[in-house]
Amino acid sequence: MANTIHVDVVSAEETIFSGEAEFVALPGELGELGILPNHTPLITRIKPGAVRIKVPNRAEEEFVFVAGGILEVQPYAVTVLADTAIRGHDLDEAKAMEAKKMAEEALANKDSQIDYAKAQAEIAVMVAQLVAIQKFRQRR
């Protein structure tokens, strides 16, 4: 049996992934993190981007987009508490492009009564989602 670590990826709406993994990679606040079994305990914020999970006996990695959240690592368990999490195959490029465009237009409109920080955060999440979509397509 492979040396594995239990991984849970959870959003406010549902559990996106729960199972054993040989490796997990995700965007930490200070850079890309790679987690293997027996990793040193860690708690950190994560940035919007792709979570890649190497499942034992499967060639393709499990792929999940997260829009930020918290990562907790224990030697035999990884928990990703995501603000929003979307399975790779459920990502919609057209929807992400439209949301990004609308946020950019709101920022450009000087007469609008918008929350600039919120609009900028929305743009950052949509850009990260578009990058994740490209990565998901390249691995296929």
Side-chain angles (χ1 to χ4, degrees):
M1 184 172 139
N3 192 16
T4 61
I5 190 166
H6 185 81
V7 179
D8 288 311
V9 179
V10 181
S11 73
E13 295 85 27
E14 64 182 317
T15 296
I16 301 297
F17 178 88
S18 182
E20 295 301 306
E22 295 175 350
F23 177 77
V24 180
L26 67 160
E29 188 172 48
L30 298 176
E32 189 76 8
L33 294 167
I35 312 295
L36 292 166
N38 298 312
H39 194 284
T40 301
L42 165 73
I43 294 178
T44 188
R45 288 187 293 205
I46 52 177
K47 297 189 318 186
V51 177
R52 297 183 345 266
I53 304 164
K54 173 59 178 104
V55 178
N57 304 317
R58 197 181 315 159
E60 262 192 38
E61 293 176 333
E62 196 67 35
F63 187 89
V64 178
F65 171 79
V66 293
I70 301 291
L71 167 70
E72 178 188 13
V73 178
Q74 293 297 324
Y76 298 101
V78 172
T79 304
V80 178
L81 302 172
D83 299 333
T84 301
I86 305 168
R87 290 173 185 86
H89 57 80
D90 292 335
L91 290 170
D92 184 343
E93 185 172 16
K95 187 176 176 181
M97 290 287 284
E98 182 62 25
K100 178 179 173 273
K101 180 181 171 191
M102 289 175 59
E104 287 171 339
E105 287 173 357
L107 279 176
N109 184 355
K110 302 293 184 207
D111 297 330
S112 69
Q113 298 285 325
I114 65 161
D115 180 344
Y116 285 96
K118 186 176 178 183
Q120 288 174 329
E122 179 72 16
I123 290 170
V125 168
M126 290 303 114
V127 167
Q129 192 174 74
L130 291 167
V131 168
I133 290 168
Q134 292 301 318
K135 285 182 183 177
F136 181 69
R137 284 189 180 150
Q138 287 174 354
R139 69 183 195 115
R140 293 186 149 225

